[in-house]
Amino acid sequence: MITFDPRLVIGPVQVGALLSAGFYGCFVAQTFMYFKLFPKDPLTLKIIVTTVAAFQLGHFLCLIATLWTMTVTAYTHPSVLSTLPLGADVLILLSSFTCSTVQLFYSHRLWKLSDVPILFLISGTLCVVAQTVAFILVVHAFKMSSLEAFQNQQHVIILLASISRAAADIFTTLGIAVTLKKRSSGTVSMTTIVERLITWVLETCLLASLATFSIAVLLLTLRNNAWFGLYIINANVIANSLLAWFNRRYSPTHDEVVSSIQFAE
């Protein structure tokens, strides 16, 4: 019989929730800045931002519900936390939606920048695999009878979900960076702009990739549920990376070449 230790559940979730709340605040601020600074952006971009914002709002509400269950409802009966609360199960689903939406956008940009369909197919396939595995993980999460048993039985699924997601991020990030580097030849001003764009890509996308890959590392190295605490904030990091990418087009010096570049469209 598996012994339940509530500290292994409540601790990672509370730490992850605190960090997630901070990241969500940053996301709300960045979303406000985006609609304030770029009112003339194409409708497609606005729909993407709005969609991600809706997923993030649902993510935040599920996080509140999960914390309420863990700290209030289960205060006198901690054994009910032998399984994840319903809010946490839905949170896993919304996190996967956020990640897939952002990754598909990056995959589309890779296709438009490189004009090589095979790159889009590879990146898109990795994204579909990651989302499919995430769906499988969510189904098992709803059916779990024990959190410890779930982690042991779904060990491979969790690893595959995080690794495939990280692989999609890294492939797309490097693909965009290499494509931009090939376009850097030309005038000094154009080369400077392209180099700045490459820096933006590496700063935002690669950070999200490392955060996703770290989930697999924690799952392999630690026997507690620290991986789930990081999973909680993973979607927040990826959503913030997208808005940071959009908003860095703004130039406080009103440099028209930089601020009007169509890289994010």
Side-chain angles (χ1 to χ4, degrees):
M1 182 176 180
I2 297 176
T3 303
F4 171 69
D5 186 352
R7 293 173 299 178
L8 300 180
V9 180
I10 299 176
V13 172
Q14 286 187 335
V15 173
L18 289 173
L19 294 174
S20 179
F23 278 118
Y24 181 69
C26 293
F27 176 80
V28 172
Q30 289 205 83
T31 302
F32 174 79
M33 288 177 58
Y34 170 76
F35 284 106
K36 183 72 173 179
L37 297 175
F38 305 104
K40 296 182 180 180
D41 263 6
L43 179 61
T44 304
L45 289 186
K46 294 180 180 179
I47 291 176
I48 291 174
V49 173
T50 303
T51 301
V52 173
F55 290 149
Q56 284 293 285
L57 176 60
H59 181 281
F60 184 65
L61 294 177
C62 288
L63 194 57
I64 294 175
T66 300
L67 285 177
W68 180 269
T69 300
M70 288 187 166
T71 58
V72 179
T73 305
Y75 180 73
T76 56
H77 301 285
S79 60
V80 301
L81 297 178
S82 57
T83 61
L84 287 177
L86 178 61
D89 295 335
V90 178
L91 182 148
I92 296 175
L93 182 63
L94 293 177
S95 294
S96 69
F97 287 159
T98 298
C99 296
S100 292
T101 301
V102 175
Q103 286 180 338
L104 285 175
F105 168 77
Y106 286 142
S107 298
H108 182 262
R109 291 314 310 150
L110 176 59
W111 179 22
K112 291 297 184 180
L113 288 169
S114 65
D115 200 25
V116 180
I118 188 64
L119 295 179
F120 172 75
L121 290 176
I122 295 175
S123 180
T125 299
L126 290 172
C127 182
V128 170
V129 169
Q131 184 59 49
T132 302
V133 176
F135 274 132
I136 296 174
L137 183 62
V138 169
V139 171
H140 286 292
F142 276 106
K143 295 181 178 180
M144 80 166 69
S145 58
S146 167
L147 183 58
E148 293 300 320
F150 171 77
Q151 178 172 320
N152 294 330
Q153 295 170 3
Q154 307 304 322
H155 192 86
V156 176
I157 296 297
I158 299 171
L159 277 177
L160 183 58
S162 58
I163 291 175
S164 58
R165 188 76 73 184
D169 284 336
I170 293 172
F171 179 85
T172 306
T173 299
L174 295 179
I176 293 176
V178 171
T179 301
L180 289 172
K181 186 64 177 177
K182 291 181 179 179
R183 294 187 174 190
S184 61
S185 58
T187 63
V188 175
S189 60
M190 181 57 67
T191 301
T192 301
I193 291 174
V194 171
E195 290 178 350
R196 186 177 301 178
L197 290 174
I198 293 174
T199 302
W200 293 355
V201 170
L202 295 178
E203 286 179 352
T204 56
C205 304
L206 196 57
L207 176 61
S209 307
L210 294 175
T212 305
F213 185 74
S214 297
I215 296 175
V217 174
L218 290 179
L219 184 64
L220 290 172
T221 57
L222 299 178
R223 298 185 61 84
N224 56 25
N225 294 300
W227 67 271
F228 188 70
L230 184 57
Y231 189 93
I232 290 175
I233 68 173
N234 184 52
N236 300 121
V237 174
I238 291 178
N240 273 283
S241 73
L242 178 68
L243 268 296
W245 204 32
F246 286 168
N247 291 338
R248 289 193 69 170
R249 291 176 295 161
Y250 171 71
S251 173
T253 58
H254 302 289
D255 185 346
E256 295 297 330
V257 176
V258 176
S259 60
S260 63
I261 193 164
Q262 304 300 308
F263 177 59
E265 298 181 6

